[in-house]
Amino acid sequence: MNDMSEQKITLQAATNAAIDEIVTHYPVKEAALLPVLHKVQDDIGWLPLAAMDWVAERLDLPKVRVYGVTSFYTMFRREKLGRHRVEICTNISCSLMGAEHLRDHLSRKLGIRPGQTTADGRITLSEVECLGSCGTAPVMLVDDEFHENLDPVKVEKILADLEARDKEAGNNG
Amino acid sequence: MAEKVLTARFDVTDSHRLEGYRADGGYKALEKALAMKPEEVIEEVKKSGLRGRGGAGFPAGVKWSFVPKESEKPKYLCVNADEGEPGTFKDRYIMELDPHALIEGSAIAAYAFGSHAAYVYVRGEFKLPIARLEGALAEARKAGFIGKNIFDSDYDFEMWVQPGAGAYVCGEETALIESNEGHRGMPRLKPPFPAVVGLFGGPTVVNNVETLAYVPHIINRGAEWFASLGPEKNGGTKLFGVSGHVTKPGLYELPMGTPLREIIYDVCGGIREGHELKAVIPGGSSTPVLTPDEIDVNMDFDSLAKIGSMFGSGAIIVMDETTCMVRVIARLAKFYAHESCGQCTPCREGVPWIHKILERIEAGGGREGDIELLSDICDNIQGNTICPLGDACAMPVRGFIAKFKPEFEAHIKQGKCPIGPIPNPWNNH
């Protein structure tokens, strides 16, 4: 599945503390599975096999239960994606407002198709289902942040800002 | 201008904070409700005519009254904040801009049917609504509006946020419960209904965010006032999310029963300049489409049912003459195919099949008999699955074919889309 299967994961103290608190919300620990997977993913960026195994142990669940749940939900990433995720909605309301043209514009700018990651590992582009923001369509998420009422100029600015931030952080690949 | 109930505080600075909510009379309804008998609270909500705003329109007070009084297992309230029906974008604003209204409404509801714990199942993509709600819960806990012995009433209530992770089917109440328990979101067979066996095996009520947010207002101002805002059996106002080809898309709070024509032309400024109305989806992507000669319908549960469509979540999607009906329903079928949980064969196999046929027709490969085949597949899905997701695809497919059959036939006959590609709104860019 991935090359981290033999490795152990290390979580930040804050993540561990958050998980300890989440578990107290339920009469049974297993109900914490989705929120705990979110916390682990937010910490390490995705859910390698080692992360799912860690969650299984933390919640006293069979590993297969965690794999099964993880694979059911689209927000859980079982593959390492680019450092940034650009997710554009093309469902009905966004489509009516030109989302497919924006998707193609993004594809051209990034040189990749939806589902692919740029060669430098910076950006993964994907086409997603309705994000519940139809009154401000077209809409996309960039690293979980909503960008609404988009047009090609705004999209280019968002990509430029992302690049500038990466350069400043010194991790532009 | 019609009275604002849920959106009255949306423009207030820091509307999500407890301080302002209290200054506007917040948590007084909870105090009042806790001094009433639980049955009296249920009776008041029944009388108000409040019907579920998630789509099904079931009377909220009646739903609460189904919960058995005595139960060995704890009772639960699950707040449905999964908001995934394409076109729908209302609950996120309540959680972002007035989260205390949801908390107060939830506490009153839970008290009414004897529950002491609630989970708000919020779709995982809603990071800001989740953060706002968690902030508000912390404020309410600190101030004693949730926790032990609220308002010295001996009533205890706790409430937590439960993030979803990107599965439309979890908006279905039993899938939501499964997911809340840490499982794949696969709907359960009913009976038993959640009111009897729900979350962690206990009696459970699943209510939509918007439904619960009305409850404090009903307790404060009375059932008669709420009922009088809308037509008979359709009490109150409604958050209408309007998207698509109108001049001013957005979220509007209007009385139940407001005519669709008025919403499109007066409230939203009509169809975008130089274009004309072709079709309207009245209540979210699962509801059968309407043609321009049907828009004098009143937007409430009963009026839309009467003309063969559904009120759904009040998500109005407006399309002008540049829109290809085959393309639209093909896109929606793609969504339902992606979201089928795979549990029932008719949905798992039938919905992707519908999608394939519609894409083929749109791409110019339509064959004689395709329309009949689509109808046959719908026949074999509807009523043959555990949950309504399959129906939610079949109903609009039937609707689009019934209302726009010549357009489907033209695609098949001409071997191409007669409308042409989606116009690029930024052509001059």
Side-chain angles (χ1 to χ4, degrees):
Chain A
M1 185 182 273
N2 56 65
D3 54 10
M4 283 181 71
S5 52
E6 298 304 315
Q7 297 174 24
K8 289 273 177 225
I9 60 156
T10 313
L11 298 174
Q12 295 171 32
T15 306
N16 273 309
I19 290 170
D20 291 344
E21 196 276 326
I22 286 169
V23 173
T24 66
H25 298 180
Y26 315 93
V28 287
K29 263 199 287 188
E30 61 179 309
L33 183 48
L34 269 73
V36 168
L37 285 168
H38 273 298
K39 288 290 174 201
V40 172
Q41 176 166 272
D42 289 347
D43 187 325
I44 60 181
W46 61 300
L47 293 169
L49 207 54
M52 293 188 270
D53 291 349
W54 182 90
V55 172
E57 195 170 323
R58 177 69 184 78
L59 299 178
D60 295 324
L61 287 170
K63 288 176 183 177
V64 66
R65 162 81 175 275
V66 181
Y67 305 163
V69 165
T70 308
S71 66
F72 184 82
Y73 297 94
T74 53
M75 284 184 76
F76 294 136
R77 302 184 290 275
R78 288 171 300 138
E79 280 167 37
K80 193 169 183 183
L81 303 181
R83 273 197 299 284
H84 301 292
R85 286 169 288 116
V86 174
E87 301 172 311
I88 183 154
C89 170
T90 57
N91 207 312
I92 180 164
S93 301
C94 283
S95 172
L96 292 175
M97 303 305 278
E100 280 94 346
H101 293 286
L102 282 184
R103 174 199 62 199
D104 296 345
H105 191 74
L106 277 163
S107 271
R108 278 194 300 273
K109 286 280 155 193
L110 296 169
I112 50 172
R113 287 210 299 267
Q116 296 180 330
T117 301
T118 53
D120 59 6
R122 272 190 66 237
I123 294 177
T124 300
L125 176 65
S126 42
E127 197 172 336
V128 295
E129 292 299 353
C130 184
L131 294 168
S133 203
C134 320
T136 47
V139 174
M140 67 180 188
L141 286 178
V142 178
D143 298 334
D144 296 330
E145 193 186 329
F146 275 86
H147 295 269
E148 301 167 89
N149 292 311
L150 292 173
D151 57 41
V153 178
K154 280 189 191 169
V155 162
E156 280 176 32
K157 172 135 196 338
I158 291 162
L159 292 182
D161 289 348
L162 212 54
E163 196 169 350
R165 277 215 305 271
D166 277 359
K167 283 212 170 113
E168 203 170 306
N171 60 350
N172 55 331
Chain B
M1 200 66 197
E3 183 165 6
K4 301 272 178 279
V5 180
L6 290 193
T7 57
R9 303 190 63 256
F10 277 17
D11 294 331
V12 175
T13 312
D14 284 341
S15 59
H16 60 287
R17 303 295 305 273
L18 177 61
E19 198 184 339
Y21 187 68
R22 289 225 69 192
D24 291 336
Y27 290 102
K28 283 198 177 134
L30 177 59
E31 187 172 12
K32 187 175 171 186
L34 292 178
M36 294 161 72
K37 287 190 188 131
E39 308 84 79
E40 292 170 347
V41 176
I42 291 182
E43 210 38 54
E44 193 70 12
V45 173
K46 270 188 190 170
K47 272 197 302 188
S48 75
L50 174 64
R51 292 170 69 170
R53 299 297 200 250
F58 196 82
V62 177
K63 199 183 232 186
W64 301 349
S65 71
F66 287 160
V67 176
K69 274 215 173 77
E70 302 302 323
S71 167
E72 277 175 28
K73 294 199 167 168
K75 305 175 195 177
Y76 293 99
L77 171 64
C78 286
V79 183
N80 190 343
D82 199 40
E83 192 144 81
E85 174 87 356
T88 313
F89 54 96
K90 58 191 184 67
D91 299 336
R92 60 175 287 209
Y93 287 109
I94 297 172
M95 292 184 282
E96 278 176 30
L97 298 172
D98 209 4
H100 283 287
L102 174 61
I103 297 170
E104 186 174 12
S106 301
I108 296 168
Y111 170 73
F113 67 87
S115 160
H116 299 279
Y119 297 92
V120 193
Y121 189 96
V122 191
R123 64 176 296 177
E125 293 90 344
F126 282 176
K127 300 291 179 192
L128 179 61
I130 288 174
R132 287 274 170 90
L133 198 53
E134 283 184 333
L137 283 167
E139 285 182 322
R141 206 169 280 132
K142 203 171 158 204
F145 298 129
I146 55 179
K148 300 264 181 221
N149 192 23
I150 302 163
F151 288 113
D152 288 321
S153 64
D154 274 343
Y155 175 65
D156 304 339
F157 176 68
E158 253 310 336
M159 185 162 171
W160 299 279
V161 173
Q162 179 78 1
Y168 166 74
V169 71
C170 291
E172 192 280 333
E173 60 179 6
T174 61
L176 183 148
I177 289 169
E178 281 285 309
S179 184
N180 205 140
E181 289 181 356
H183 294 282
R184 296 163 75 97
M186 288 183 162
R188 296 175 180 172
L189 269 173
K190 295 191 273 194
F193 288 90
V196 182
V197 182
L199 188 65
F200 307 125
T204 301
V205 167
V206 184
N207 278 147
N208 173 258
V209 169
E210 186 187 349
T211 313
L212 290 165
Y214 286 111
V215 171
H217 299 281
I218 293 169
I219 297 302
N220 273 330
R221 302 174 68 178
E224 287 77 16
W225 160 79
F226 190 79
S228 75
L229 296 176
E232 208 189 338
K233 291 184 185 159
N234 286 273
T237 55
K238 173 78 186 84
L239 300 186
F240 291 100
V242 188
S243 63
H245 297 148
V246 287
T247 310
K248 294 183 288 179
L251 187 74
Y252 299 95
E253 180 172 16
L254 298 164
M256 286 287 277
T258 304
L260 181 54
R261 179 183 297 280
E262 194 180 314
I263 298 177
I264 295 173
Y265 286 96
D266 299 342
V267 179
C268 296
I271 309 305
R272 60 182 178 175
E273 212 188 324
H275 293 279
E276 58 188 70
L277 178 64
K278 180 173 181 177
V280 190
I281 297 176
S285 60
S286 315
T287 60
V289 67
L290 305 178
T291 52
D293 59 347
E294 293 176 297
I295 63 167
D296 287 308
V297 67
N298 295 336
M299 289 296 288
D300 61 62
F301 292 105
D302 301 325
S303 301
L304 276 154
K306 240 178 246 164
I307 64 164
S309 187
M310 282 170 73
F311 184 69
S313 59
I316 300 166
I317 305 166
V318 180
M319 294 165 269
D320 70 17
E321 85 290 349
T322 65
T323 316
C324 168
M325 296 294 105
V326 178
R327 188 191 297 277
V328 166
I329 190 60
R331 180 62 189 85
L332 289 179
K334 181 185 177 192
F335 166 73
Y336 290 108
H338 179 256
E339 300 299 337
S340 175
C341 82
Q343 191 174 205
C344 310
T345 312
C347 174
R348 183 186 65 235
E349 304 299 326
V351 174
W353 191 10
I354 287 176
H355 170 229
K356 242 162 72 180
I357 295 168
L358 288 167
E359 289 249 300
R360 180 163 52 69
I361 296 173
E362 175 63 9
R367 303 172 198 142
E368 215 172 296
D370 272 347
I371 295 175
E372 294 72 21
L373 178 58
L374 284 167
S375 162
D376 185 46
I377 300 169
C378 289
D379 279 344
N380 283 290
I381 294 173
Q382 282 185 276
N384 294 321
T385 55
I386 291 173
C387 92
L389 192 144
D391 290 17
C393 178
M395 285 186 305
V397 168
R398 281 185 191 289
F400 271 94
I401 293 174
K403 301 283 170 66
F404 295 97
K405 199 166 182 188
E407 196 169 320
F408 284 76
E409 289 167 342
H411 276 75
I412 295 170
K413 207 172 262 170
Q414 295 175 26
K416 66 180 176 87
C417 173
I419 313 289
I422 305 172
N424 185 341
W426 308 287
N427 241 344
N428 303 324
H429 178 65

